């Protein structure tokens, strides 16, 4: 692999997350269209464009551990076990993020705002929350189904991107200076993001 291919792979993985976050935003709009009926098509399009800025920062903050594993300039990056670790970490971080996005489809109708950290105080109420949980799942079963489908598709596309990437390239060591320079430049771009 060329020295910057692992960074190219990271960009593709972040791009995949951007697609799924945008899809969640679109589904949120569809489920709550009656709340946004006064907006013009231009306003909705602008909200999607501005939402990309928010998504990029959220994705980067959430995925700092995954990004860090892409920055290690070691040959073990191309090892199957290393990549499995990255995949598991990717899933452990991003599937709960998808869950919160999906919860918003229904939660917004009750709170008129998106899910924030205050949901943990609702969950922390203990018995009341646990008693309501089965009826909430029954009432909003379709949100659970959408979440499971999106999670499955995210990990399937992640695997497809990774497999395709590693089949195309074979590792050929590059100079350490070039490798470190590419990592530094990308690290600066991540910090800016």
């Amino acid at each position: 692999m060329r020295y910057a291919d692992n960074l190219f792979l990271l960009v593709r993985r972040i791009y995949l997350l951007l697609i799924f976050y945008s899809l969640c935003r679109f589904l949120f709009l569809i489920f709550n269209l009656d709340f946004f009926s006064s907006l013009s098509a231009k306003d909705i399009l602008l909200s999607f464009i501005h939402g990309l800025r928010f998504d990029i920062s959220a994705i980067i903050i959430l995925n700092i551990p995954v990004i860090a594993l892409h920055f290690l300039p070691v040959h073990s990056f191309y090892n199957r076990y290393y990549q499995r670790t990255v995949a598991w970490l990717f899933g452990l971080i991003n599937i709960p993020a998808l869950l919160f996005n999906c919860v918003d489809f229904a939660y917004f109708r009750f709170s008129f705002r998106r899910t924030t950290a205050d949901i943990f105080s609702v969950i922390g109420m203990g018995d009341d929350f646990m008693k309501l949980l089965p009826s909430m799942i029954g009432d909003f079963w379709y949100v659970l189904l959408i979440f499971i489908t999106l999670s499955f598709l995210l990990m399937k596309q992640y695997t497809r991107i990774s497999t395709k990437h590693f089949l195309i390239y074979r590792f050929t060591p590059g100079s350490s200076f070039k490798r470190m320079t590419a990592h530094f430049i990308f690290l600066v771009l991540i910090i800016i993001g």
Side-chain angles (χ1 to χ4, degrees):
M1 253 189 202
R2 297 188 307 264
Y3 65 90
D5 285 338
N6 54 341
L7 301 179
F8 175 68
L9 183 59
L10 175 62
V11 168
R12 291 178 72 181
R13 289 171 175 170
I14 289 173
Y15 180 68
L16 176 67
L17 287 171
L18 281 172
I19 290 171
F20 274 80
Y21 275 53
S22 294
L23 179 59
C24 284
R25 182 172 286 108
F26 177 73
L27 290 171
F28 173 82
L29 177 65
I30 296 300
F31 278 100
N32 297 289
L33 198 55
D34 46 331
F35 292 99
F36 302 105
S37 58
S38 62
L39 295 178
S40 68
K42 179 184 175 186
D43 292 333
I44 291 172
L45 181 62
L46 284 174
S47 70
F48 271 76
I49 292 169
H50 291 298
L52 282 175
R53 288 177 46 203
F54 174 79
D55 291 346
I56 289 169
S57 63
I59 287 168
I60 288 172
I61 290 168
L62 285 173
N63 286 279
I64 285 175
V66 174
I67 292 167
L69 290 176
H70 281 76
F71 278 121
L72 295 178
V74 293
H75 296 293
S76 62
F77 178 83
Y78 310 104
N79 180 298
R80 177 177 30 165
Y81 300 108
Y82 190 92
Q83 284 304 309
R84 282 186 187 163
T85 302
V86 175
W88 274 99
L89 190 59
F90 183 89
L92 285 172
I93 291 170
N94 293 296
I95 288 176
L98 275 181
L99 176 62
F100 281 107
N101 274 303
C102 291
V103 165
D104 276 344
F105 302 162
Y107 180 74
F108 183 79
R109 294 188 162 278
F110 300 104
S111 65
F112 302 109
R113 59 190 176 125
R114 302 291 302 253
T115 306
T116 59
D118 65 346
I119 195 152
F120 292 110
S121 64
V122 172
I123 293 171
M125 291 179 185
D127 290 340
D128 291 339
F129 177 76
M130 294 313 286
K131 287 176 187 172
L132 289 173
L133 187 61
S135 69
M136 289 168 49
I137 290 173
D139 291 342
F140 300 105
W141 60 270
Y142 53 89
V143 173
L144 182 61
L145 184 63
I146 290 170
F147 162 68
I148 291 169
T149 303
L150 287 175
S151 299
F152 172 77
L153 290 174
L154 175 67
M155 294 313 293
K156 186 162 181 65
Q157 289 303 312
Y158 175 93
T159 303
R160 186 170 169 253
I161 286 172
S162 301
T163 304
K164 190 175 182 181
H165 183 82
F166 284 105
L167 287 176
I168 292 172
Y169 300 106
R170 295 287 180 263
F171 179 74
T172 55
S175 86
S176 295
F177 177 74
K178 286 181 182 178
R179 187 180 305 261
M180 293 304 289
T181 302
H183 283 79
F184 177 75
I185 290 169
F186 201 74
L187 179 62
V188 168
L189 293 175
I190 290 292
I191 291 169
I192 290 170

